[in-house]
Amino acid sequence: MPLPDVAVYVVDAGMQLCPVGVPGELVVAGAGVARGYLNRAELTAEKFVPDVLTPDAPPDARLYRSGDLAARRDDGDLSYLGRIDQQVKIRGFRIETGEIEAVLRRSGSVRDVAVLAHTRAGGEVVLVAYVVGDASTDAGAPGGPSLEALREAARARLPEYMVPGVFVPVPVIPMTQNGKVDRRALPSPDEHRAAAGGTRVPPSTDLERRIAAVWRQVLGVAEVGVEDGFFDLGGTSLGVVEVAAALRAAGIEVAVVKLFQFTTIAALAAHLEGGT
């Protein structure tokens, strides 16, 4: 049942009305809209903005930005599509990061997790899972949940494009005063990779050196060790396909599925040299 003196609009990032069927943010207007949040000036300024949509609206009228994603249908009704702050678009797929977080939490070894989109230096967007181990262990630490096991758990329950390309163990998920994940307080995947790199074992054979050259090209990194995991270095499922193509161009034939099985240079080289 419609509420009196309340109107809703679906708008784009520039606060322009979206055409029928085009997703946008749901904003609320009218006398029922509050003036803001108590003692939360920053959040009020973000969520309560001047009403530039309602005809003859008073000068001090405000729109409430709900953060909900919606689309108007032909019959005038609205379709709810989820939350804007939990949806990212990667390689043409719209992804609800909350769905990925729920899958990882069900692993039983994760106390908290946040999945974010990260843009790498070359412009590629990858999903990064920041993982907090349960009360007795730390993710990625000896005795704690294996990051590779978490990746496989995600792969077993999610389509490949929703599997995070990078898993970063953290002691806690930092939050802002507004209750959102504090991105600036989280380590970047590149910082984590550098900190976790330790002493790398350099390639020692011609085959390992050729594979390492391909990895550096695809990953966009200066150095890789033969014991480094491809996915731990920021590799993605799309990157695996690129590696297979680049290896083939270099005269090294390997099936894509084997690159998921042998995720270090040492293991892949041993597999290729053994002919298994």
Side-chain angles (χ1 to χ4, degrees):
M1 181 176 179
L3 297 175
D5 300 320
V6 172
V8 293
Y9 306 99
V10 179
V11 300
D12 61 19
M15 296 301 291
Q16 300 296 311
L17 293 175
C18 292
V20 171
V22 175
E25 183 176 12
L26 187 69
V27 297
V28 184
V33 175
R35 306 305 302 169
Y37 294 101
L38 180 63
N39 300 325
R40 304 287 296 275
E42 180 183 349
L43 186 58
T44 294
E46 176 187 346
K47 292 293 188 178
F48 293 85
V49 298
D51 187 349
V52 296
L53 299 175
T54 305
D56 302 321
D60 63 345
R62 289 291 183 268
L63 295 170
Y64 173 65
R65 304 187 61 169
S66 70
D68 290 324
L69 191 69
R72 190 174 297 279
R73 303 201 308 241
D74 290 331
D75 60 7
D77 287 343
L78 298 175
S79 295
Y80 176 72
L81 304 175
R83 293 287 300 172
I84 288 177
D85 56 5
Q86 287 190 313
Q87 189 174 82
V88 297
K89 189 173 183 179
I90 296 181
R91 297 192 293 276
F93 294 102
R94 290 194 178 276
I95 297 170
E96 293 287 346
T97 57
E99 184 177 350
I100 304 171
E101 292 168 357
V103 166
L104 294 175
R105 286 192 177 96
R106 286 199 295 269
S107 71
S109 59
V110 172
R111 182 168 72 239
D112 201 3
V113 59
V115 176
L116 306 174
H118 170 71
T119 303
R120 299 171 66 182
E124 181 188 9
V125 181
V126 297
L127 289 171
V128 180
Y130 292 92
V131 181
V132 181
D134 64 23
S136 61
T137 60
D138 292 325
S146 162
L147 299 183
E148 187 60 35
L150 290 177
R151 180 179 289 109
E152 290 307 312
R155 183 169 285 127
R157 296 173 176 83
L158 295 168
E160 196 63 42
Y161 65 84
M162 292 181 68
V163 177
V166 184
F167 285 74
V168 179
V170 291
V172 67
I173 302 296
M175 307 297 287
T176 67
Q177 290 186 344
N178 297 339
K180 297 181 179 179
V181 175
D182 189 350
R183 292 171 174 263
R184 290 178 297 182
L186 287 167
S188 76
D190 295 333
E191 290 173 351
H192 165 69
R193 183 173 62 197
T199 302
R200 289 196 166 98
V201 180
S204 60
T205 68
D206 178 65
L207 180 58
E208 289 181 347
R209 284 188 284 271
R210 292 163 67 194
I211 297 173
V214 168
W215 277 33
R216 289 196 299 269
Q217 171 192 333
V218 172
L219 293 170
V221 297
E223 296 295 335
V224 294
V226 297
E227 299 296 341
D228 295 337
F230 180 78
F231 295 103
D232 295 331
L233 292 173
T236 64
S237 298
L238 180 61
V240 168
V241 177
E242 295 176 0
V243 166
L247 288 174
R248 190 175 301 112
I252 304 172
E253 288 291 335
V254 58
V256 171
V257 67
K258 295 299 183 181
L259 296 176
F260 285 104
Q261 182 179 354
F262 304 103
T263 58
T264 68
I265 293 174
L268 181 59
H271 159 70
L272 293 172
E273 289 171 337
T276 58

